[in-house]
């Protein structure tokens, strides 16, 4: 349903192209508009079109920024710094003890587990999942990762270095099978 525009006491319908509308020729409205009001309406539509174009451009720029952010590699150190700043600004550092962070992370692992709880085995790539379910999964995985990074930072552990060393130990403990 088209809503009417109140213009100087007259209720008129919005038009796709106000410049083509001439109230002097219209029998529908029963009023005569001066050239000034006709020009005013035309200018209003032109400004509205400019606003829509501007908003569409802004929306596209934001989408481009999000895609660029997604493609950008971020290091554990960068995330650690962002988490530290996030906690500092909110004065949460006093709550970020190793125990509290571990318990919070375990809670997030529980939320992550709930997503898979009644699904049975799930195919790689989650082909049968809805996009909203995949997005929720990504959020919960991120929560676990962020708590893990913050916990390592508070404990003074370089998580990247520790993970690299652990991979070396695992390769020694579980060598490649020999093929004959």
């Amino acid at each position: 349903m088209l809503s009417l525009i109140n213009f100087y006491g007259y209720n008129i319908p919005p038009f796709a192209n106000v410049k083509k509308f001439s109230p002097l020729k219209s029998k529908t409205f029963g009023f005569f508009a001066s050239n000034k009001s006709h020009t005013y309406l035309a200018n209003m539509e032109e400004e509205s079109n400019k606003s829509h174009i501007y908003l569409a451009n802004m929306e596209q720029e934001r989408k481009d920024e999000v895609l660029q952010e997604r493609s950008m590699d971020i290091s554990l150190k960068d995330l650690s710094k962002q988490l530290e700043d996030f906690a500092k600004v909110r004065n949460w550092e006093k709550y970020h003890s190793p125990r509290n962070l571990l318990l919070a992370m375990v809670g997030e692992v529980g939320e992550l587990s709930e997503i898979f709880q009644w699904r049975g085995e799930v195919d790689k790539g989650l082909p049968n999942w809805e996009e909203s379910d995949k997005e929720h999964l990504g959020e919960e995985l991120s929560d676990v990762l962020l708590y893990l990074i913050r916990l390592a930072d508070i404990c003074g552990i370089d998580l990247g270095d520790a993970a690299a060393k652990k991979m070396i130990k695992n390769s020694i403990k579980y060598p490649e099978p020999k093929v004959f």
Side-chain angles (χ1 to χ4, degrees):
M1 180 177 151
L2 293 174
S3 59
L4 298 177
I5 298 172
N6 189 301
F7 183 73
Y8 293 110
Y10 297 102
N11 289 323
I12 58 173
F15 293 93
N17 189 348
V18 177
K19 292 176 187 176
K20 292 180 182 177
F21 170 69
S22 174
L24 296 173
K25 295 178 184 174
S26 175
K27 296 178 183 177
T28 313
F29 300 106
F31 70 91
F32 294 95
S34 70
N35 285 339
K36 285 184 180 179
S37 62
H38 182 80
T39 304
Y40 179 77
L41 287 172
N43 288 339
M44 281 177 43
E45 183 192 20
E46 190 174 317
E47 290 301 316
S48 175
N49 287 341
K50 286 180 184 176
S51 296
H52 287 292
I53 291 169
Y54 176 74
L55 290 174
N57 287 342
M58 282 181 52
E59 184 177 340
Q60 185 58 47
E61 287 175 11
R62 180 65 189 131
K63 285 179 183 176
D64 292 343
E65 287 174 13
V66 168
L67 289 174
Q68 185 177 17
E69 288 173 12
R70 284 183 181 169
S71 67
M72 179 177 39
D73 288 330
I74 187 163
S75 72
L76 293 175
K77 290 185 189 301
D78 291 338
L79 285 173
S80 177
K81 178 66 175 139
Q82 289 178 15
L83 289 167
E84 181 182 356
D85 293 344
F86 187 87
K88 195 175 287 185
V89 167
R90 288 158 181 79
N91 198 23
W92 288 355
E93 291 175 310
K94 59 188 170 197
Y95 305 112
H96 285 193
S97 67
R99 176 189 169 276
N100 288 349
L101 291 168
L102 175 64
L103 292 175
M105 185 177 68
V106 168
E108 294 299 335
V109 169
E111 290 180 29
L112 180 61
S113 299
E114 286 177 354
I115 296 172
F116 290 94
Q117 187 171 10
W118 305 113
R119 292 186 185 257
E121 284 302 315
V122 178
D123 293 331
K124 186 176 181 177
L126 313 175
N128 301 323
W129 285 36
E130 299 288 327
E131 281 304 313
S132 60
D133 292 334
K134 289 181 180 181
E135 184 177 344
H136 183 220
L137 176 61
E139 290 171 356
E140 296 305 330
L141 286 167
S142 297
D143 286 340
V144 172
L145 175 66
L146 295 174
Y147 274 117
L148 179 63
I149 291 169
R150 185 70 175 144
L151 175 61
D153 189 39
I154 292 296
C155 292
I157 303 296
D158 181 335
L159 195 56
D161 184 54
K165 288 177 181 176
K166 183 64 176 174
M167 289 299 295
I168 292 169
K169 284 184 178 181
N170 285 345
S171 68
I172 293 168
K173 187 175 180 180
Y174 306 104
E176 291 181 30
K178 295 180 182 175
V179 179
F180 294 100

